[in-house]
Amino acid sequence: MKQSITTALMEWYEENKRDLAWRRDQDAYRIWVSEIMLQQTRVEAVKSYYARFMEALPTLRHLAMADETELHKLWEGLGYYNRVMNMKKCAQICMENYDGCLPADYEELQKLPGIGSYTAGAIASIAYDLPVCAVDGNVMRVFSRLCNDESDIAKAAAKKHFEAVVMQYVPTCGAGIFNQAIMELGALICVPNGAPHCSLCPLASLCEAHRLGITSKLPVKSAKKKRRIEQKTVVVYLYEDQLHLRKREAGGLLASLYEFDVYEGVYEETQLTNKLQEAAHLKQLVPLGKAKHIFTHLEWHMNGWLAILQEPFDQDGIWVDLDTLNKQYALPSAYQRYKDAVALWLKG
């Protein structure tokens, strides 16, 4: 039974796999970059980011030497910027301790910054053909249906449980193909948020959930904790054609990224005018509207303003024009609406 599942899955993959840039060789660096980018991001969205990143930083050595601002700009729009900073740390460690390569060892890979069991399994199996599994949400969904397994995939213990289950199916040779096959099946056939395409599935005749007619009930996933809401007032300071950016703290959310000036809480126009007059020579205040941005455990509810100044203030931060901002600095996507609104205002 297990051998039948493994064989059917790998044969299906060889005939149906998508042609993706990071699948065209077994280079560990390229596989690693793609796997980090693909975390919580659609394949179609990743393609252009991957191509741009590899053109700018084609080797692990280039990544180890990259400037923080350049890395942030290359990552702009993917979110979770701590991932790319962990990648740089990881690259530097590999240059110092592993002869400029990602180690061909599942356990050693997990000691590196930002590499957990899934990413280590993907690198080890796809690049080095080591017989290990790579279990993420896609894989847990496939095997919860395949085995009629009611383990709650929202709980941390479920990943260890499914790793043990999946390891029973991993072939001693071709583990990388097997792991990619499960990922591909989860992405194309055994999909989330809707009915799986069982009529196209190579494992339908071997799937317990399909046999029992309960595919819609699996996987079991308990509700997430409600996100905390924070109210923010975003102020885009403008002097002539120069916008003010402030760099965030080195730790925590959106660490070390540049942003517009942000004040905690909600300010009415009169309140904000009075506040800004104390810190800047305010000429005009233009409303930019409300926006919401969702992080994993947090929501920002924002109200934006364009503050046009008679002269610039001399506080922490930098003044840049819009073109420089677009070319050199990564602005968190939370502020994208306000950047676009200011661009339209400047044109009009």
Side-chain angles (χ1 to χ4, degrees):
M1 171 82 165
K2 288 173 184 170
Q3 182 59 49
S4 298
I5 288 172
T6 299
T7 301
L9 195 56
M10 293 171 72
E11 288 177 351
W12 171 84
Y13 176 72
E14 291 294 355
E15 292 181 10
N16 295 277
K17 64 183 176 183
R18 289 169 290 180
D19 180 20
L20 302 173
W22 49 88
R23 287 179 175 167
R24 292 172 190 163
D25 57 42
Q26 290 180 282
D27 182 82
Y29 173 65
R30 291 172 175 266
I31 292 163
W32 171 48
V33 171
S34 71
E35 289 297 342
I36 299 297
M37 285 188 172
L38 285 163
Q39 291 174 17
Q40 296 178 288
T41 309
R42 294 179 301 105
V43 166
E44 288 304 313
V46 163
K47 287 179 179 178
S48 60
Y49 283 102
Y50 176 82
R52 185 177 65 174
F53 194 95
M54 297 311 302
E55 182 178 359
L57 306 172
T59 67
L60 197 140
R61 179 182 293 277
H62 287 90
L63 174 56
M65 298 172 63
D67 174 76
E68 177 185 81
T69 301
E70 179 189 14
L71 282 178
H72 283 159
K73 190 62 183 175
L74 288 169
W75 208 260
E76 184 179 26
L78 282 170
Y80 303 98
Y81 288 87
N82 62 311
R83 290 177 182 169
V84 75
M85 297 316 298
N86 276 334
M87 288 174 71
K88 176 173 177 171
K89 293 175 189 174
C90 178
Q92 290 172 329
I93 292 170
C94 288
M95 293 304 300
E96 293 173 7
N97 300 335
Y98 297 103
D99 297 322
C101 299
L102 287 156
D105 184 292
Y106 178 66
E107 300 298 335
E108 288 297 307
L109 284 165
Q110 291 185 72
K111 295 176 184 177
L112 295 169
I115 296 184
S117 62
Y118 166 77
T119 306
I123 297 167
S125 63
I126 300 169
Y128 301 126
D129 199 28
L130 299 179
V132 293
C133 63
V135 173
D136 66 355
N138 269 337
V139 176
M140 288 193 285
R141 181 174 64 257
V142 169
F143 272 87
S144 69
R145 290 169 174 167
L146 187 62
C147 303
N148 186 22
D149 192 317
E150 296 183 353
S151 301
D152 184 348
I153 67 169
K155 295 186 176 178
K159 189 170 183 181
K160 285 288 183 187
H161 163 72
F162 278 107
E163 284 175 345
V165 171
V166 175
M167 274 304 298
Q168 298 175 45
Y169 297 81
V170 175
T172 54
C173 184
I177 294 172
F178 171 79
N179 286 329
Q180 289 178 93
I182 309 172
M183 298 174 208
E184 197 78 336
L185 193 78
L188 301 180
I189 305 295
C190 199
V191 295
N193 306 321
H197 308 302
C198 296
S199 62
L200 302 175
C201 182
L203 305 182
S205 63
L206 303 169
C207 177
E208 279 298 295
H210 178 64
R211 182 179 68 82
L212 296 169
I214 56 171
T215 54
S216 62
K217 296 181 180 180
L218 294 169
V220 173
K221 188 176 183 180
S222 56
K224 292 181 180 179
K225 186 179 178 181
K226 197 172 182 180
R227 296 187 192 94
R228 186 175 80 254
I229 294 175
E230 293 182 356
Q231 302 287 345
K232 307 278 185 181
T233 298
V234 179
V235 178
V236 184
Y237 286 109
L238 174 68
Y239 173 68
E240 295 182 347
D241 67 342
Q242 301 287 299
L243 304 172
H244 187 255
L245 300 178
R246 195 182 296 275
K247 194 172 186 179
R248 290 180 65 90
E249 297 291 329
L253 185 67
L254 304 177
S256 299
L257 289 170
Y258 283 93
E259 65 178 356
F260 298 126
D261 289 75
V262 181
Y263 302 96
E264 299 296 326
V266 179
Y267 286 84
E268 299 300 328
E269 185 171 0
T270 302
Q271 290 177 297
L272 187 60
T273 299
N274 293 336
K275 179 179 179 64
L276 299 187
Q277 288 286 19
E278 297 173 6
H281 299 277
L282 184 64
K283 180 179 179 181
Q284 185 182 358
L285 195 62
V286 179
L288 297 178
K290 295 182 179 180
K292 180 171 74 171
H293 189 77
I294 297 175
F295 299 95
T296 305
H297 304 295
L298 175 69
E299 284 185 26
W300 280 0
H301 291 193
M302 299 171 287
N303 197 18
W305 299 86
L306 174 63
I308 304 166
L309 306 183
Q310 294 176 343
E311 58 184 82
F313 51 77
D314 186 21
Q315 293 183 12
D316 291 341
I318 58 173
W319 291 90
V320 298
D321 60 32
L322 190 62
D323 188 54
T324 301
L325 170 57
N326 287 333
K327 288 180 179 177
Q328 296 183 23
Y329 295 95
L331 192 72
S333 56
Y335 305 114
Q336 186 64 46
R337 167 176 175 161
Y338 297 123
K339 186 179 82 168
D340 292 345
V342 171
L344 284 173
W345 191 91
L346 286 169
K347 285 181 181 178

